Amino acid sequence: MKTLEKLKFPKLENEYLENILRQLINQHNIIQLFFTKQPSPLFSNLIIHIDKNSDTEKLQQQKWLKKVRNRYQIDVIFIYSGRLHHRFSLGHPFMECYCRPSALIYQNPTALNPLIITRDWKQYKKKFHVFEERFYHDHDLHKLHVQNLISEDCSNSVFTSYARWIEYDLEYLEELYVVNTFNSLPLDERINNLIAYVPEIQKYFVRSSPDKYVLTDLFIKAKEIAADDDDIYKNEMYQAVRITEQNLFRLIEERFDELKKQIKKGLFDKQQLACQTDEKPAATILDVAVETIVKLVAVEQIYLFHQTTYAEKTTYYLMLIGIGGTNEKLRLITHFLKSKTTDNHEVVMISHSRKWIQENLYQFQSFFSDIIQADRLIYSSSPYHPVLHWQFPHNPYHADLYFYYQPTKDVALQFFNIANNPEQNYQGLDYLFSEFFLSFCRTYIFVKTYYLPNNLTSQALWQLCIYADPDIRKYNYLLEQFWTDCFPYLNKHRLLDHKLSKLNKEKVDQMSIMVKKLMTELDSLVIEGGLLNYEQD
């Protein structure tokens, strides 16, 4: 046998990896090494054909594999001889593509059972089609089984069967990319592992935590409930799971087609990963806004969901999807933008994490589905962010409207009790006025859009009211005639100050007019509109 010093692997162009391979050949019964160089950013493939399965399992856990993968973009795959030859006999396209003689960089001269491929595409294509058809046949069986369960309205069984179907798809993706399956691992971990090979898979699973996914949580819950003979009643999620499975099926088809083309040509064409290139908005304010947001918030995507010009002032409405877009951060961004732009521009922002949106679609889907559109996306940190699992059918409804409307009504009545006090004791009235405005805006927006905003600034809430229904602008004159800058005043008194009130009758009258008119507007919308059915006080 050749000594370690004489072994050379010039095709690798990697001294670090060469040294490791020499040690492996000295310590284990390595039969063959196959190396296929791929253009960046794809992973090159190093297939290590080894004699024993026990060695394969142990070596596949070595820490150096991760280093080689991350630093040098080389994916090292160990496969023991029995598995490799069995896969080859089945016509597995991975073997046919990556273990050809042209990829061989080492062969143990004393090995009894090396893999030698001499057939061309014409000789191999029948086996390829048989291998491919085996996938389609079993895939159709899974599909038929799920369809039958849906028709029988067996919701728990539907989701457990969908789980097995998706596991089947993931198994084929693992086979076609790494020729090893990981059935013993949890579904979440298998998805995470595949991301390195198929980044696009991220688009089809919304995360419920850094390492887990909404759909896999649903599958687990369905199994637990089924064991207790309870019903999960998640029929509206059927289509979301179906869409995910259809995309996995498409990824498998594309991989089959890719391997087929590579085998037929006998060489590897350069492939470019799809990269999203969004046209930058012409307006400079949006460039500045996006740049500022990205610096301060771990944002995944930004959508420009509305834009309006009124009285020579343009207002941009942005929705941020990401982590850390707190109300305080949004205020900081707004303050920075005001210092960078002229008074004839304004940016209104709302922000939520993808997980929060997913978990609240049952109530707010009609609002978010209108915003999250490809033509409204102005920034994305990656082309592989997951698409939300939309609920079908979804019928918007004003859940808990009473709990938003009644406090607004109560604080208005409380305000008038103090405002109409003949002794003109207005202590705490500024707080009640601010609380009323906050409650009114959130309730009004919810009624009009089926969305309940966070505790944003008073100005942002008012602008969202205008987005919900531009007709509300008819009350802008009340804000403009206020004795001071209305929005800073409202923001200041969101918390009760422990000090004597400096309000007088004239100021209270202005507040009263605004409270009365806005409350009348909300009464008309909620009570006369029949959204709540009870007698007014």
Side-chain angles (χ1 to χ4, degrees):
M1 182 182 291
K2 294 181 180 179
T3 62
L4 296 183
E5 290 74 17
K6 293 181 179 179
L7 284 175
K8 299 290 184 182
F9 308 99
K11 193 174 180 180
L12 290 177
E13 300 177 351
N14 189 307
E15 185 177 352
Y16 171 79
L17 184 55
E18 285 186 21
N19 291 332
I20 292 175
L21 293 179
R22 292 188 191 102
Q23 293 178 20
L24 286 175
I25 291 170
N26 186 48
Q27 297 171 2
H28 300 275
N29 188 7
I30 304 296
I31 298 174
Q32 290 170 305
L33 301 176
F34 298 94
F35 178 71
T36 303
K37 187 176 180 60
Q38 295 274 40
S40 180
L42 301 177
F43 286 104
S44 297
N45 290 289
L46 176 61
I47 314 298
I48 300 181
H49 178 193
I50 196 166
D51 184 46
K52 297 180 181 179
N53 186 33
S54 57
D55 288 342
T56 299
E57 294 176 352
K58 181 174 63 176
L59 290 170
Q60 199 68 59
Q61 304 302 318
Q62 295 288 308
K63 293 182 179 180
W64 62 267
L65 273 73
K66 187 175 181 180
K67 179 179 179 180
V68 168
R69 181 179 229 294
N70 294 338
R71 183 175 295 182
Y72 305 114
Q73 295 294 106
I74 298 175
D75 189 32
V76 181
I77 299 171
F78 289 90
I79 182 167
Y80 75 97
S81 191
R83 183 180 181 84
L84 182 141
H85 282 282
H86 178 252
R87 289 293 185 271
F88 175 70
S89 68
L90 293 176
H92 198 304
F94 186 95
M95 309 284 80
E96 202 76 20
C97 186
Y98 296 109
C99 297
R100 300 196 69 79
S102 59
L104 186 67
I105 61 172
Y106 168 79
Q107 180 167 306
N108 186 341
T110 64
L112 299 177
N113 199 19
L115 177 67
I116 301 174
I117 301 177
T118 58
R119 59 194 178 195
D120 58 19
W121 170 250
K122 289 183 179 180
Q123 297 168 317
Y124 165 69
K125 67 178 179 179
K126 184 176 180 180
K127 280 187 171 291
F128 175 84
H129 292 312
V130 170
F131 187 92
E132 191 178 33
E133 283 303 317
R134 187 181 297 114
F135 162 73
Y136 289 123
H137 175 267
D138 292 346
H139 182 275
D140 288 343
L141 291 179
H142 280 285
K143 182 177 181 179
L144 181 62
H145 182 60
V146 168
Q147 288 174 341
N148 290 337
L149 290 172
I150 291 176
S151 65
E152 296 168 5
D153 201 23
C154 303
S155 61
N156 293 355
S157 298
V158 169
F159 287 116
T160 53
S161 297
Y162 258 128
R164 288 191 290 271
W165 192 3
I166 285 180
E167 286 172 358
Y168 174 77
D169 289 344
L170 294 177
E171 180 177 333
Y172 258 86
L173 282 172
E174 291 165 347
E175 280 279 0
L176 294 176
Y177 277 96
V178 294
V179 82
N180 288 314
T181 55
F182 305 96
N183 296 323
S184 61
L185 297 180
L187 204 56
D188 298 297
E189 192 170 342
R190 296 174 72 181
I191 295 168
N192 287 331
N193 290 342
L194 277 169
I195 288 172
Y197 303 94
V198 199
E200 187 182 341
I201 204 171
Q202 300 171 87
K203 297 170 66 175
Y204 312 123
F205 292 92
V206 176
R207 294 183 186 271
S208 59
S209 68
D211 298 317
K212 293 186 177 297
Y213 298 91
V214 170
L215 289 187
T216 58
D217 290 344
L218 179 63
F219 296 152
I220 292 171
K221 184 177 180 181
K223 290 180 182 178
E224 293 173 347
I225 290 177
D228 297 330
D229 293 326
D230 294 328
D231 290 324
I232 193 169
Y233 294 119
K234 285 282 187 179
N235 295 5
E236 69 276 5
M237 291 298 291
Y238 287 170
Q239 187 163 342
V241 185
R242 186 185 304 117
I243 290 171
T244 297
E245 194 287 321
Q246 288 171 346
N247 280 298
L248 293 179
F249 176 75
R250 177 181 53 79
L251 291 175
I252 294 169
E253 285 190 310
E254 290 176 357
R255 179 59 172 167
F256 268 124
D257 189 57
E258 177 187 25
L259 290 171
K260 177 180 177 180
K261 288 179 180 177
Q262 291 177 356
I263 294 167
K264 288 178 72 175
K265 292 182 179 179
L267 49 86
F268 292 84
D269 296 328
K270 291 186 177 181
Q271 302 172 27
Q272 299 293 330
L273 288 180
C275 182
Q276 184 169 343
T277 55
D278 301 313
E279 293 183 2
K280 292 185 178 180
T284 304
I285 178 65
L286 287 179
D287 295 335
V288 177
V290 169
E291 182 181 355
T292 305
I293 292 167
V294 170
K295 286 181 180 178
L296 295 176
V297 179
V299 67
E300 297 173 4
Q301 292 174 315
I302 302 174
Y303 289 87
L304 174 64
F305 65 92
H306 189 59
Q307 178 177 328
T308 182
T309 300
Y310 180 77
E312 298 183 355
K313 184 173 186 177
T314 302
T315 303
Y316 304 96
Y317 292 81
L318 304 182
M319 188 182 82
L320 285 54
I321 299 180
I323 305 297
T326 62
N327 294 329
E328 190 56 40
K329 281 284 181 68
L330 297 185
R331 292 188 191 101
L332 181 63
I333 294 168
T334 301
H335 177 75
F336 179 84
L337 293 177
K338 284 183 178 179
S339 67
K340 291 287 186 179
T341 58
T342 58
D343 292 336
N344 62 344
H345 291 93
E346 182 178 6
V347 176
V348 178
M349 291 172 287
I350 59 175
S351 178
H352 297 286
S353 70
R354 195 176 300 273
K355 176 187 175 184
W356 185 93
I357 295 173
Q358 180 67 61
E359 292 175 346
N360 288 275
L361 286 183
Y362 72 96
Q363 188 172 12
F364 303 142
Q365 177 164 303
S366 59
F367 175 79
F368 287 117
S369 62
D370 186 55
I371 289 175
I372 301 176
Q373 300 289 336
D375 60 346
R376 296 184 172 185
L377 184 68
I378 63 171
Y379 170 82
S380 183
S381 62
S382 166
Y384 302 117
H385 291 304
V387 177
L388 292 165
H389 303 306
W390 301 110
Q391 297 185 2
F392 298 98
H394 177 77
N395 299 311
Y397 65 104
H398 292 103
D400 299 331
L401 175 58
Y402 174 84
F403 298 104
Y404 307 134
Y405 168 79
Q406 192 58 47
T408 310
K409 182 77 169 177
D410 289 345
V411 77
L413 293 174
Q414 195 174 359
F415 172 88
F416 285 123
N417 286 336
I418 297 178
N420 297 329
N421 185 339
E423 296 181 3
Q424 299 188 19
N425 178 4
Y426 301 132
Q427 185 67 31
L429 196 62
D430 32 20
Y431 164 77
L432 291 173
F433 179 66
S434 298
E435 282 300 297
F436 167 78
F437 189 85
L438 170 69
S439 301
F440 165 82
C441 289
R442 297 180 81 236
T443 308
Y444 185 87
I445 293 164
F446 180 63
V447 170
K448 289 288 188 177
T449 68
Y450 298 97
Y451 169 68
L452 192 70
N454 291 331
N455 186 6
L456 303 172
T457 65
S458 298
Q459 187 169 1
L461 287 171
W462 184 249
Q463 290 293 352
L464 284 173
C465 287
I466 293 173
Y467 164 75
D469 188 349
D471 190 53
I472 199 72
R473 276 203 187 97
K474 62 189 176 186
Y475 298 115
N476 268 354
Y477 76 96
L478 296 173
L479 303 171
E480 295 165 357
Q481 292 176 1
F482 209 68
W483 76 85
T484 185
D485 288 341
C486 189
F487 293 128
Y489 179 87
L490 288 164
N491 293 334
K492 177 182 177 182
H493 293 96
R494 290 255 179 104
L495 296 176
L496 181 61
D497 290 328
H498 193 190
K499 63 183 181 182
L500 292 174
S501 174
K502 297 181 180 179
L503 298 174
N504 56 39
K505 186 70 166 60
E506 182 181 355
K507 294 176 180 178
V508 169
D509 286 344
Q510 289 190 37
M511 289 180 174
S512 297
I513 292 172
M514 187 181 298
V515 172
K516 182 177 181 179
K517 288 184 177 294
L518 293 180
M519 196 63 232
T520 300
E521 184 76 21
L522 195 58
D523 277 337
S524 174
L525 193 61
V526 174
I527 305 303
E528 296 177 19
L531 296 176
L532 290 178
N533 185 20
Y534 67 94
E535 298 257 342
Q536 285 184 265
D537 294 336

